[in-house]
Amino acid sequence: MAQTLKFGNGNFATKAGSTLCYDDQNGNFKPIPMDFTRASTATRVNKEGLIEVVTNDRPRIDYTDTSDGVLLLENASTNRFLYSEDLTQFNLSSSGTGASNPVVTSNYGVSPDGTQNADRVQLDAGTDASGNSRITETFTIFATTETISVYLKSNDGQEHTIDIIQSNSPQNTATVTSEWQRFSFTNVNGSPDKYGIGLTGSNGETADILAWGFQLEQNSVASSYIPSQGSATTRVAETASGAGNSEVFNDSEGVLFADIAANANDGLSRNITISDGTSSNRVFLKFSSTSNLLEATVVSSGVVAMQETYSISDATLYSKLILKYKQNDFSFWVNGFEVGTDSSGNAPTGLDVLDLDSGIAVNDFYGKTKEIGYYNTILTDLELETLTSYRSWESMVNELNLNIIYNG
């Protein structure tokens, strides 16, 4: 078998405007660059586990949930908190007998970006059962679905139950411990009002915590952190496309492999495509707009030659997908199993480019890419099973976000 394109699998190289695919057959390395755009800064979690800002048009290799890194692509989003890290700019309030306004001390502790810029917040909800102490920001516009997120950590070694304030009332609670955690909660059909954190309780309920990185966005999930300093701040949508040529891809037969996860189940299609630059000839793997539905499709001269779908439990967990194509011989593999076949249809023609979209600059792949591979000949069922299976019990459990139960 000849693998003519590799991307990722712990081997990433980037620069402004580009990330690198490559061919290393016979020990000879050939670069296959992929174009990248993002007309704004963005953040990532680096290999040391710290949040850092990435400059315009530079791809993000993110290490949030894997030590090997992933290419992170996201849609546009805006953080509507004006001061995401400066809590002295927030509104301080309290109500109830004995309650007092929060006390904010700037730059008291080390934040998730590794610098001493996390603010200390001391809350005292007083002695009334309905008493509260809150730190919030007021918004005059709202969206149907909004997600608030914030990093919180206990400052006194005690565990605290902190209110998440949305639309001026506690909508959820966060259990704050001595470790930094990012909490996020989605509010549907919100109203323009106060958003932030607070404490509710009785019998002299108090809390001493560190807070950093407030974010409010019109999304169904929290996206990567968007710092703001005095105004609502937008991270622009990202694209990755244009890798390869006709020497890399084979019209008559081949295999497209991807180890990927979606950012959210939010009704968007997310495609990885090899095409002739049009919608007439292409092979693609995608997360469907239908929640938790995978799809593998081959189009030849404008005619769908193969289309198979497969439901999974959670599209935000990593899945290993393969699409094999050859005239009258198509198959779709997911996580070690053959889940669809088709024995009738033509192979596409003119394949010459890999795009992390539908091949026509729509349905961008907003998600996390661990690895992409392309083989210019079809593989045996055993090889396809091996490629889409896990190499160890631990790696399978970790990628499926499960907990190992130890006996004895």
PDB file of all heavy atoms in Angstrom, residues 197-231:
ATOM      1  N   ILE A 197     -21.194  35.579  38.095  1.00  0.00           N
ATOM      2  CA  ILE A 197     -21.161  34.551  39.132  1.00  0.00           C
ATOM      3  C   ILE A 197     -21.625  35.149  40.456  1.00  0.00           C
ATOM      4  O   ILE A 197     -21.678  36.372  40.623  1.00  0.00           O
ATOM      5  CB  ILE A 197     -19.758  33.945  39.308  1.00  0.00           C
ATOM      6  CG1 ILE A 197     -18.746  35.030  39.680  1.00  0.00           C
ATOM      7  CG2 ILE A 197     -19.339  33.200  38.042  1.00  0.00           C
ATOM      8  CD1 ILE A 197     -17.366  34.476  40.028  1.00  0.00           C
ATOM      9  N   GLY A 198     -21.968  34.283  41.405  1.00  0.00           N
ATOM     10  CA  GLY A 198     -22.411  34.755  42.702  1.00  0.00           C
ATOM     11  C   GLY A 198     -22.466  33.640  43.721  1.00  0.00           C
ATOM     12  O   GLY A 198     -22.100  32.490  43.461  1.00  0.00           O
ATOM     13  N   LEU A 199     -22.934  33.995  44.905  1.00  0.00           N
ATOM     14  CA  LEU A 199     -23.064  33.050  46.006  1.00  0.00           C
ATOM     15  C   LEU A 199     -24.406  33.269  46.675  1.00  0.00           C
ATOM     16  O   LEU A 199     -24.814  34.400  46.929  1.00  0.00           O
ATOM     17  CB  LEU A 199     -21.928  33.260  47.015  1.00  0.00           C
ATOM     18  CG  LEU A 199     -21.881  32.307  48.210  1.00  0.00           C
ATOM     19  CD1 LEU A 199     -21.487  30.900  47.745  1.00  0.00           C
ATOM     20  CD2 LEU A 199     -20.893  32.814  49.261  1.00  0.00           C
ATOM     21  N   THR A 200     -25.109  32.181  46.943  1.00  0.00           N
ATOM     22  CA  THR A 200     -26.384  32.224  47.650  1.00  0.00           C
ATOM     23  C   THR A 200     -26.295  31.291  48.848  1.00  0.00           C
ATOM     24  O   THR A 200     -25.703  30.213  48.748  1.00  0.00           O
ATOM     25  CB  THR A 200     -27.543  31.763  46.742  1.00  0.00           C
ATOM     26  OG1 THR A 200     -27.613  32.607  45.592  1.00  0.00           O
ATOM     27  CG2 THR A 200     -28.871  31.824  47.483  1.00  0.00           C
ATOM     28  N   GLY A 201     -26.844  31.691  49.977  1.00  0.00           N
ATOM     29  CA  GLY A 201     -26.788  30.779  51.117  1.00  0.00           C
ATOM     30  C   GLY A 201     -27.320  31.395  52.384  1.00  0.00           C
ATOM     31  O   GLY A 201     -27.973  32.449  52.373  1.00  0.00           O
ATOM     32  N   SER A 202     -27.061  30.705  53.483  1.00  0.00           N
ATOM     33  CA  SER A 202     -27.495  31.161  54.798  1.00  0.00           C
ATOM     34  C   SER A 202     -26.429  30.780  55.816  1.00  0.00           C
ATOM     35  O   SER A 202     -25.420  30.149  55.489  1.00  0.00           O
ATOM     36  CB  SER A 202     -28.830  30.518  55.162  1.00  0.00           C
ATOM     37  OG  SER A 202     -28.729  29.108  55.164  1.00  0.00           O
ATOM     38  N   ASN A 203     -26.631  31.202  57.070  1.00  0.00           N
ATOM     39  CA  ASN A 203     -25.701  30.863  58.146  1.00  0.00           C
ATOM     40  C   ASN A 203     -24.278  31.346  57.856  1.00  0.00           C
ATOM     41  O   ASN A 203     -23.294  30.652  58.100  1.00  0.00           O
ATOM     42  CB  ASN A 203     -25.680  29.349  58.407  1.00  0.00           C
ATOM     43  CG  ASN A 203     -27.046  28.821  58.792  1.00  0.00           C
ATOM     44  OD1 ASN A 203     -27.768  29.458  59.557  1.00  0.00           O
ATOM     45  ND2 ASN A 203     -27.427  27.670  58.247  1.00  0.00           N
ATOM     46  N   GLY A 204     -24.212  32.553  57.309  1.00  0.00           N
ATOM     47  CA  GLY A 204     -22.902  33.151  57.080  1.00  0.00           C
ATOM     48  C   GLY A 204     -22.109  32.514  55.967  1.00  0.00           C
ATOM     49  O   GLY A 204     -20.896  32.344  56.068  1.00  0.00           O
ATOM     50  N   GLU A 205     -22.768  32.153  54.878  1.00  0.00           N
ATOM     51  CA  GLU A 205     -22.109  31.516  53.741  1.00  0.00           C
ATOM     52  C   GLU A 205     -21.124  32.486  53.088  1.00  0.00           C
ATOM     53  O   GLU A 205     -21.470  33.593  52.703  1.00  0.00           O
ATOM     54  CB  GLU A 205     -23.149  31.064  52.722  1.00  0.00           C
ATOM     55  CG  GLU A 205     -22.595  30.288  51.563  1.00  0.00           C
ATOM     56  CD  GLU A 205     -22.232  28.855  51.948  1.00  0.00           C
ATOM     57  OE1 GLU A 205     -22.761  28.365  52.956  1.00  0.00           O
ATOM     58  OE2 GLU A 205     -21.429  28.259  51.217  1.00  0.00           O
ATOM     59  N   THR A 206     -19.863  32.035  52.949  1.00  0.00           N
ATOM     60  CA  THR A 206     -18.831  32.843  52.295  1.00  0.00           C
ATOM     61  C   THR A 206     -18.045  31.969  51.331  1.00  0.00           C
ATOM     62  O   THR A 206     -18.073  30.737  51.411  1.00  0.00           O
ATOM     63  CB  THR A 206     -17.865  33.464  53.309  1.00  0.00           C
ATOM     64  OG1 THR A 206     -17.172  32.412  54.000  1.00  0.00           O
ATOM     65  CG2 THR A 206     -18.601  34.352  54.316  1.00  0.00           C
ATOM     66  N   ALA A 207     -17.327  32.623  50.414  1.00  0.00           N
ATOM     67  CA  ALA A 207     -16.460  31.908  49.481  1.00  0.00           C
ATOM     68  C   ALA A 207     -15.295  32.804  49.105  1.00  0.00           C
ATOM     69  O   ALA A 207     -15.454  34.024  48.955  1.00  0.00           O
ATOM     70  CB  ALA A 207     -17.222  31.477  48.237  1.00  0.00           C
ATOM     71  N   ASP A 208     -14.143  32.191  48.946  1.00  0.00           N
ATOM     72  CA  ASP A 208     -12.922  32.889  48.543  1.00  0.00           C
ATOM     73  C   ASP A 208     -12.374  32.128  47.330  1.00  0.00           C
ATOM     74  O   ASP A 208     -11.868  31.014  47.457  1.00  0.00           O
ATOM     75  CB  ASP A 208     -11.927  32.887  49.698  1.00  0.00           C
ATOM     76  CG  ASP A 208     -10.690  33.740  49.415  1.00  0.00           C
ATOM     77  OD1 ASP A 208     -10.504  34.157  48.250  1.00  0.00           O
ATOM     78  OD2 ASP A 208      -9.895  33.958  50.355  1.00  0.00           O
ATOM     79  N   ILE A 209     -12.485  32.745  46.148  1.00  0.00           N
ATOM     80  CA  ILE A 209     -12.139  32.044  44.907  1.00  0.00           C
ATOM     81  C   ILE A 209     -11.291  32.931  44.006  1.00  0.00           C
ATOM     82  O   ILE A 209     -11.189  34.147  44.209  1.00  0.00           O
ATOM     83  CB  ILE A 209     -13.399  31.594  44.134  1.00  0.00           C
ATOM     84  CG1 ILE A 209     -14.220  32.816  43.698  1.00  0.00           C
ATOM     85  CG2 ILE A 209     -14.237  30.629  44.965  1.00  0.00           C
ATOM     86  CD1 ILE A 209     -15.389  32.469  42.780  1.00  0.00           C
ATOM     87  N   LEU A 210     -10.700  32.305  42.973  1.00  0.00           N
ATOM     88  CA  LEU A 210     -10.051  33.016  41.879  1.00  0.00           C
ATOM     89  C   LEU A 210     -10.906  32.847  40.634  1.00  0.00           C
ATOM     90  O   LEU A 210     -11.475  31.773  40.397  1.00  0.00           O
ATOM     91  CB  LEU A 210      -8.652  32.453  41.617  1.00  0.00           C
ATOM     92  CG  LEU A 210      -7.634  32.551  42.754  1.00  0.00           C
ATOM     93  CD1 LEU A 210      -6.340  31.844  42.370  1.00  0.00           C
ATOM     94  CD2 LEU A 210      -7.356  34.003  43.117  1.00  0.00           C
ATOM     95  N   ALA A 211     -11.009  33.924  39.836  1.00  0.00           N
ATOM     96  CA  ALA A 211     -11.828  33.887  38.619  1.00  0.00           C
ATOM     97  C   ALA A 211     -11.053  34.521  37.466  1.00  0.00           C
ATOM     98  O   ALA A 211     -10.309  35.494  37.661  1.00  0.00           O
ATOM     99  CB  ALA A 211     -13.146  34.611  38.837  1.00  0.00           C
ATOM    100  N   TRP A 212     -11.268  33.972  36.270  1.00  0.00           N
ATOM    101  CA  TRP A 212     -10.523  34.446  35.085  1.00  0.00           C
ATOM    102  C   TRP A 212     -11.248  33.971  33.837  1.00  0.00           C
ATOM    103  O   TRP A 212     -11.863  32.907  33.805  1.00  0.00           O
ATOM    104  CB  TRP A 212      -9.111  33.865  35.119  1.00  0.00           C
ATOM    105  CG  TRP A 212      -8.185  34.307  34.015  1.00  0.00           C
ATOM    106  CD1 TRP A 212      -7.425  35.428  33.985  1.00  0.00           C
ATOM    107  CD2 TRP A 212      -7.875  33.593  32.807  1.00  0.00           C
ATOM    108  NE1 TRP A 212      -6.669  35.473  32.831  1.00  0.00           N
ATOM    109  CE2 TRP A 212      -6.934  34.352  32.090  1.00  0.00           C
ATOM    110  CE3 TRP A 212      -8.324  32.397  32.257  1.00  0.00           C
ATOM    111  CZ2 TRP A 212      -6.420  33.961  30.851  1.00  0.00           C
ATOM    112  CZ3 TRP A 212      -7.816  31.993  31.026  1.00  0.00           C
ATOM    113  CH2 TRP A 212      -6.872  32.773  30.342  1.00  0.00           C
ATOM    114  N   GLY A 213     -11.171  34.753  32.781  1.00  0.00           N
ATOM    115  CA  GLY A 213     -11.622  34.302  31.465  1.00  0.00           C
ATOM    116  C   GLY A 213     -13.124  34.193  31.306  1.00  0.00           C
ATOM    117  O   GLY A 213     -13.624  33.176  30.811  1.00  0.00           O
ATOM    118  N   PHE A 214     -13.856  35.262  31.647  1.00  0.00           N
ATOM    119  CA  PHE A 214     -15.303  35.260  31.437  1.00  0.00           C
ATOM    120  C   PHE A 214     -15.617  35.326  29.943  1.00  0.00           C
ATOM    121  O   PHE A 214     -14.994  36.091  29.196  1.00  0.00           O
ATOM    122  CB  PHE A 214     -15.952  36.457  32.141  1.00  0.00           C
ATOM    123  CG  PHE A 214     -16.161  36.253  33.614  1.00  0.00           C
ATOM    124  CD1 PHE A 214     -15.124  36.448  34.516  1.00  0.00           C
ATOM    125  CD2 PHE A 214     -17.400  35.868  34.099  1.00  0.00           C
ATOM    126  CE1 PHE A 214     -15.317  36.271  35.880  1.00  0.00           C
ATOM    127  CE2 PHE A 214     -17.602  35.689  35.455  1.00  0.00           C
ATOM    128  CZ  PHE A 214     -16.554  35.884  36.350  1.00  0.00           C
ATOM    129  N   GLN A 215     -16.599  34.549  29.500  1.00  0.00           N
ATOM    130  CA  GLN A 215     -16.990  34.540  28.097  1.00  0.00           C
ATOM    131  C   GLN A 215     -18.488  34.308  27.969  1.00  0.00           C
ATOM    132  O   GLN A 215     -19.046  33.434  28.618  1.00  0.00           O
ATOM    133  CB  GLN A 215     -16.229  33.438  27.350  1.00  0.00           C
ATOM    134  CG  GLN A 215     -16.402  33.460  25.833  1.00  0.00           C
ATOM    135  CD  GLN A 215     -15.218  32.797  25.137  1.00  0.00           C
ATOM    136  OE1 GLN A 215     -14.069  33.183  25.343  1.00  0.00           O
ATOM    137  NE2 GLN A 215     -15.494  31.803  24.306  1.00  0.00           N
ATOM    138  N   LEU A 216     -19.137  35.121  27.130  1.00  0.00           N
ATOM    139  CA  LEU A 216     -20.556  34.957  26.804  1.00  0.00           C
ATOM    140  C   LEU A 216     -20.672  35.038  25.297  1.00  0.00           C
ATOM    141  O   LEU A 216     -20.274  36.034  24.684  1.00  0.00           O
ATOM    142  CB  LEU A 216     -21.404  36.055  27.460  1.00  0.00           C
ATOM    143  CG  LEU A 216     -22.909  35.973  27.191  1.00  0.00           C
ATOM    144  CD1 LEU A 216     -23.516  34.724  27.814  1.00  0.00           C
ATOM    145  CD2 LEU A 216     -23.623  37.223  27.721  1.00  0.00           C
ATOM    146  N   GLU A 217     -21.220  33.974  24.681  1.00  0.00           N
ATOM    147  CA  GLU A 217     -21.272  33.907  23.223  1.00  0.00           C
ATOM    148  C   GLU A 217     -22.580  33.292  22.748  1.00  0.00           C
ATOM    149  O   GLU A 217     -23.248  32.562  23.479  1.00  0.00           O
ATOM    150  CB  GLU A 217     -20.073  33.116  22.674  1.00  0.00           C
ATOM    151  CG  GLU A 217     -19.873  31.771  23.310  1.00  0.00           C
ATOM    152  CD  GLU A 217     -18.528  31.145  22.966  1.00  0.00           C
ATOM    153  OE1 GLU A 217     -18.038  31.303  21.836  1.00  0.00           O
ATOM    154  OE2 GLU A 217     -17.954  30.471  23.851  1.00  0.00           O
ATOM    155  N   GLN A 218     -22.942  33.634  21.524  1.00  0.00           N
ATOM    156  CA  GLN A 218     -24.172  33.128  20.912  1.00  0.00           C
ATOM    157  C   GLN A 218     -23.877  31.764  20.292  1.00  0.00           C
ATOM    158  O   GLN A 218     -23.785  31.615  19.085  1.00  0.00           O
ATOM    159  CB  GLN A 218     -24.694  34.112  19.863  1.00  0.00           C
ATOM    160  CG  GLN A 218     -26.056  33.745  19.301  1.00  0.00           C
ATOM    161  CD  GLN A 218     -26.557  34.764  18.300  1.00  0.00           C
ATOM    162  OE1 GLN A 218     -26.106  35.901  18.287  1.00  0.00           O
ATOM    163  NE2 GLN A 218     -27.495  34.360  17.464  1.00  0.00           N
ATOM    164  N   ASN A 219     -23.722  30.771  21.145  1.00  0.00           N
ATOM    165  CA  ASN A 219     -23.404  29.414  20.729  1.00  0.00           C
ATOM    166  C   ASN A 219     -24.135  28.434  21.640  1.00  0.00           C
ATOM    167  O   ASN A 219     -24.515  28.779  22.766  1.00  0.00           O
ATOM    168  CB  ASN A 219     -21.896  29.137  20.850  1.00  0.00           C
ATOM    169  CG  ASN A 219     -21.112  29.670  19.673  1.00  0.00           C
ATOM    170  OD1 ASN A 219     -21.644  29.814  18.579  1.00  0.00           O
ATOM    171  ND2 ASN A 219     -19.840  29.955  19.892  1.00  0.00           N
ATOM    172  N   SER A 220     -24.256  27.208  21.173  1.00  0.00           N
ATOM    173  CA  SER A 220     -24.842  26.161  22.004  1.00  0.00           C
ATOM    174  C   SER A 220     -23.797  25.485  22.881  1.00  0.00           C
ATOM    175  O   SER A 220     -24.140  24.693  23.759  1.00  0.00           O
ATOM    176  CB  SER A 220     -25.522  25.106  21.130  1.00  0.00           C
ATOM    177  OG  SER A 220     -24.596  24.521  20.229  1.00  0.00           O
ATOM    178  N   VAL A 221     -22.513  25.761  22.638  1.00  0.00           N
ATOM    179  CA  VAL A 221     -21.408  25.263  23.462  1.00  0.00           C
ATOM    180  C   VAL A 221     -20.385  26.384  23.612  1.00  0.00           C
ATOM    181  O   VAL A 221     -20.383  27.349  22.847  1.00  0.00           O
ATOM    182  CB  VAL A 221     -20.731  24.023  22.849  1.00  0.00           C
ATOM    183  CG1 VAL A 221     -21.704  22.864  22.739  1.00  0.00           C
ATOM    184  CG2 VAL A 221     -20.135  24.347  21.483  1.00  0.00           C
ATOM    185  N   ALA A 222     -19.502  26.226  24.585  1.00  0.00           N
ATOM    186  CA  ALA A 222     -18.416  27.183  24.754  1.00  0.00           C
ATOM    187  C   ALA A 222     -17.315  26.883  23.745  1.00  0.00           C
ATOM    188  O   ALA A 222     -16.869  25.742  23.624  1.00  0.00           O
ATOM    189  CB  ALA A 222     -17.867  27.117  26.164  1.00  0.00           C
ATOM    190  N   SER A 223     -16.875  27.890  23.018  1.00  0.00           N
ATOM    191  CA  SER A 223     -15.744  27.726  22.112  1.00  0.00           C
ATOM    192  C   SER A 223     -14.465  28.085  22.857  1.00  0.00           C
ATOM    193  O   SER A 223     -14.485  28.380  24.054  1.00  0.00           O
ATOM    194  CB  SER A 223     -15.932  28.587  20.863  1.00  0.00           C
ATOM    195  OG  SER A 223     -15.806  29.956  21.178  1.00  0.00           O
ATOM    196  N   SER A 224     -13.336  28.050  22.168  1.00  0.00           N
ATOM    197  CA  SER A 224     -12.069  28.376  22.812  1.00  0.00           C
ATOM    198  C   SER A 224     -12.110  29.806  23.345  1.00  0.00           C
ATOM    199  O   SER A 224     -12.840  30.671  22.849  1.00  0.00           O
ATOM    200  CB  SER A 224     -10.912  28.209  21.829  1.00  0.00           C
ATOM    201  OG  SER A 224     -11.051  29.091  20.732  1.00  0.00           O
ATOM    202  N   TYR A 225     -11.297  30.046  24.348  1.00  0.00           N
ATOM    203  CA  TYR A 225     -11.320  31.319  25.058  1.00  0.00           C
ATOM    204  C   TYR A 225     -10.978  32.497  24.140  1.00  0.00           C
ATOM    205  O   TYR A 225     -10.017  32.435  23.364  1.00  0.00           O
ATOM    206  CB  TYR A 225     -10.351  31.267  26.230  1.00  0.00           C
ATOM    207  CG  TYR A 225     -10.172  32.571  26.948  1.00  0.00           C
ATOM    208  CD1 TYR A 225     -11.273  33.299  27.409  1.00  0.00           C
ATOM    209  CD2 TYR A 225      -8.903  33.090  27.167  1.00  0.00           C
ATOM    210  CE1 TYR A 225     -11.103  34.505  28.061  1.00  0.00           C
ATOM    211  CE2 TYR A 225      -8.713  34.285  27.832  1.00  0.00           C
ATOM    212  CZ  TYR A 225      -9.833  35.001  28.270  1.00  0.00           C
ATOM    213  OH  TYR A 225      -9.665  36.203  28.911  1.00  0.00           O
ATOM    214  N   ILE A 226     -11.762  33.580  24.241  1.00  0.00           N
ATOM    215  CA  ILE A 226     -11.562  34.804  23.462  1.00  0.00           C
ATOM    216  C   ILE A 226     -11.321  35.950  24.441  1.00  0.00           C
ATOM    217  O   ILE A 226     -12.257  36.453  25.073  1.00  0.00           O
ATOM    218  CB  ILE A 226     -12.798  35.123  22.584  1.00  0.00           C
ATOM    219  CG1 ILE A 226     -13.153  33.931  21.694  1.00  0.00           C
ATOM    220  CG2 ILE A 226     -12.555  36.379  21.749  1.00  0.00           C
ATOM    221  CD1 ILE A 226     -14.489  34.076  20.980  1.00  0.00           C
ATOM    222  N   PRO A 227     -10.081  36.382  24.630  1.00  0.00           N
ATOM    223  CA  PRO A 227      -9.816  37.488  25.562  1.00  0.00           C
ATOM    224  C   PRO A 227     -10.442  38.790  25.075  1.00  0.00           C
ATOM    225  O   PRO A 227     -10.497  39.059  23.870  1.00  0.00           O
ATOM    226  CB  PRO A 227      -8.283  37.598  25.551  1.00  0.00           C
ATOM    227  CG  PRO A 227      -7.794  36.318  24.951  1.00  0.00           C
ATOM    228  CD  PRO A 227      -8.855  35.865  24.009  1.00  0.00           C
ATOM    229  N   SER A 228     -10.911  39.597  26.015  1.00  0.00           N
ATOM    230  CA  SER A 228     -11.462  40.915  25.668  1.00  0.00           C
ATOM    231  C   SER A 228     -10.932  41.953  26.648  1.00  0.00           C
ATOM    232  O   SER A 228     -10.768  41.667  27.840  1.00  0.00           O
ATOM    233  CB  SER A 228     -12.994  40.894  25.703  1.00  0.00           C
ATOM    234  OG  SER A 228     -13.479  40.583  26.988  1.00  0.00           O
ATOM    235  N   GLN A 229     -10.685  43.148  26.125  1.00  0.00           N
ATOM    236  CA  GLN A 229     -10.125  44.230  26.937  1.00  0.00           C
ATOM    237  C   GLN A 229     -10.801  45.543  26.599  1.00  0.00           C
ATOM    238  O   GLN A 229     -10.237  46.413  25.947  1.00  0.00           O
ATOM    239  CB  GLN A 229      -8.610  44.337  26.715  1.00  0.00           C
ATOM    240  CG  GLN A 229      -7.838  43.095  27.097  1.00  0.00           C
ATOM    241  CD  GLN A 229      -6.361  43.201  26.769  1.00  0.00           C
ATOM    242  OE1 GLN A 229      -5.965  43.946  25.868  1.00  0.00           O
ATOM    243  NE2 GLN A 229      -5.536  42.471  27.497  1.00  0.00           N
ATOM    244  N   GLY A 230     -12.059  45.673  26.981  1.00  0.00           N
ATOM    245  CA  GLY A 230     -12.770  46.939  26.811  1.00  0.00           C
ATOM    246  C   GLY A 230     -13.854  46.935  25.762  1.00  0.00           C
ATOM    247  O   GLY A 230     -14.581  47.918  25.631  1.00  0.00           O
ATOM    248  N   SER A 231     -13.983  45.842  24.982  1.00  0.00           N
ATOM    249  CA  SER A 231     -15.032  45.768  23.973  1.00  0.00           C
ATOM    250  C   SER A 231     -15.339  44.306  23.673  1.00  0.00           C
ATOM    251  O   SER A 231     -14.519  43.414  23.942  1.00  0.00           O
ATOM    252  CB  SER A 231     -14.604  46.475  22.681  1.00  0.00           C
ATOM    253  OG  SER A 231     -13.471  45.835  22.115  1.00  0.00           O
TER     254      SER A 231
END
